[in-house]
Every structure is written in structure tokens, then in C-alpha cells.
Amino acid sequence: MQGVTLKVVTLLEEPFIMVAENILGQPKRYKGFSIDVLDALAKILGFKYEMYQVADGKYGSPQANGSWNGMIGELIGKRADVAISAITITPERENVVDFSKRYLDYSVGILMTKTEERLNIFSLLAPFDLAVWACIAAAIPVVGVMVFLLRRVQSVRSQNPPGPHQPTSVTTSFQSAIWIVYGAFVQQGGESLMSSLALRIAMGSWWLFTLIVCSSYTANLAAYLTVSRMDNAIR
């Protein structure tokens, strides 16, 4: 490009393109970030340029008849070789002209006051619905009653009926069964003699159920805490 003079169309946009102080009788001079880039390219490639402002003061948009106005229209009509300004790269413009590598990305943001984090003592219950918690609460005594009955049947089959001086404490046995079921649910275990096959099947099924429930609760709690931390008040 040695010795080539390019026609450059521009549009004033601070701080990219601005009019420099002009000396009387001299052509209009420009300054700004984009001018610095253009001057560096001209020095490296060895070309010269003549710059003028677009007449309609627009960057370029398609018209109803298929033509373009603004700087894009100057390029399409071959009245300019290069357009330089703070012009946005869009897919529609890329279909008709070639863009250089973009050198600035910007976006619009909203500033707002930081919301106060409120402590919720029931946040640990959020991973499950109320109906799920109700079913779990109902399942513990139901399984406890079943374990209590199976242990009574086991004790009756393994021993003779108690005499008048050897009463069996039904209340204690029932409370012990509830405690065993609850201990298994919170994965703390408990002391229990399960010699019969029915008791082993019942408690094995309960252990599997508690494993699934605890794993689901842990996963949902982690997801809930992550989503609540990423939640935005404005959408």
C-alpha cells in the first residue's frame, strides 16, 4: 500500500473521533483513539488518507428499498475505502461490509442497592416439599409399629409366655422400636436384635429408603443454596 491514498469516512464520537484545533487555512484535522490506530496503520503500511465526515450523520442502517445510509452506504457506494468510528458490529452490517477485529466491548448495567440477607431458620426444610416431610414424619411411626409387632412375634416364638411375676413392658418395647427406626433414618444406627428374616427384610428396606432420602436431600440442599446465591432481584 505504499503511496496509496485512501478515502476515509468518519462520524464524530468522543473519545474515538474528535475535531482537533484547526489552523486557519489548513484542512480539518481529527484526533482521538481511532485516529491514533489509523495513524499507526498508515505508518506501518505506508499509505496516506483523506478523511471526511458522513453527510447524513448516521452509522448505517438498511432502508426499505434495500440500500444503506450512513457510513455503511458510503462503503457500499464505493465513495469511501475505509470507515472508521465507534461503529457497532452487527450481523446485518457484516453481510455487506468487512469489519476489523473489535477493540472495545461495552455493555449497559444497572446499579442497585445490595439486598440484605435475611436469616431463615426453616431454610433447611426448603429442599423438600411440605408433603414430603409429612410423609417422612408419618413413615417413622408406621415402620416403628411394624418393627414393634415383628419383635413381639419374635419374642413370643422364641420364649414361653411370661408368667404373672414376669410382665412384659409393651410401652418400652414400642418406644425402643421407634427409636431404632428414627436412629436408622438419621444414619446413627441403634441397638436391635434382628434374628428373624421378617425383621431383617423390614429394616433392610427402611435402610435403603433412608439412604435414598438422605442422598436426595443432600443434593437438593446443595442445589438450593447455589441457586439462592445466584438469584437476581431484577430480570
Side-chain angles (χ1 to χ4, degrees):
M1 298 185 67
Q2 293 288 338
V4 177
T5 300
L6 299 178
K7 292 183 178 180
V8 180
V9 61
T10 186
L11 180 62
L12 298 181
E13 180 72 30
E14 296 182 357
F16 304 98
I17 304 292
M18 299 176 290
V19 177
E21 295 182 1
N22 190 22
I23 301 176
L24 186 62
Q26 297 293 327
K28 184 178 293 185
R29 297 175 58 252
Y30 298 91
K31 65 179 181 178
F33 182 83
S34 297
I35 300 299
D36 295 340
V37 175
L38 182 61
D39 290 338
L41 289 175
K43 182 179 180 180
I44 295 173
L45 300 177
F47 66 86
K48 298 180 180 180
Y49 63 88
E50 296 177 356
M51 182 171 291
Y52 69 97
Q53 296 184 34
V54 62
D56 56 6
K58 298 181 181 300
Y59 290 103
S61 58
Q63 305 299 303
N65 57 3
S67 62
W68 285 72
N69 61 5
M71 293 190 298
I72 303 296
E74 295 291 309
L75 294 176
I76 296 176
K78 299 186 182 302
R79 293 180 293 274
D81 301 309
V82 178
I84 183 168
S85 183
I87 184 171
T88 305
I89 302 175
T90 63
E92 293 79 12
R93 292 171 178 170
E94 281 189 317
N95 289 332
V96 294
V97 297
D98 290 329
F99 283 89
S100 65
K101 294 284 186 179
R102 66 178 185 267
Y103 53 81
L104 175 67
D105 290 328
Y106 75 98
S107 61
V108 178
I110 297 177
L111 298 179
M112 60 182 185
T113 57
K114 186 177 180 180
T115 57
E116 297 181 359
E117 296 183 358
R118 297 181 179 179
L119 180 62
N120 185 8
I121 61 176
F122 300 104
S123 59
L124 293 178
L125 303 178
F128 284 164
D129 192 64
L130 181 60
V132 177
W133 288 115
C135 292
I136 293 175
I140 293 178
V142 170
V143 178
V145 170
M146 182 177 62
V147 171
F148 165 70
L149 294 177
L150 291 176
R151 292 182 67 183
R152 287 300 304 272
V153 172
Q154 177 186 354
S155 63
V156 169
R157 289 181 177 180
S158 60
Q159 298 178 359
N160 294 327
H165 301 289
Q166 298 177 346
T168 301
S169 178
V170 178
T171 304
T172 305
S173 299
F174 179 70
Q175 292 177 350
S176 176
I178 294 293
W179 182 251
I180 291 173
V181 173
Y182 177 74
F185 179 76
V186 296
Q187 299 181 347
Q188 296 299 319
E191 297 181 1
S192 61
L193 298 176
M194 301 180 188
S195 58
S196 66
L197 181 62
L199 269 175
R200 292 177 180 178
I201 294 177
M203 290 304 300
S205 302
W206 178 250
W207 291 338
L208 179 61
F209 169 76
T210 57
L211 176 64
I212 297 175
V213 170
C214 292
S215 300
S216 301
Y217 175 80
T218 304
N220 290 336
L221 181 62
Y224 170 77
L225 295 177
T226 303
V227 171
S228 61
R229 194 180 304 115
M230 298 174 58
D231 189 23
N232 295 323
I234 296 180
R235 293 180 176 86

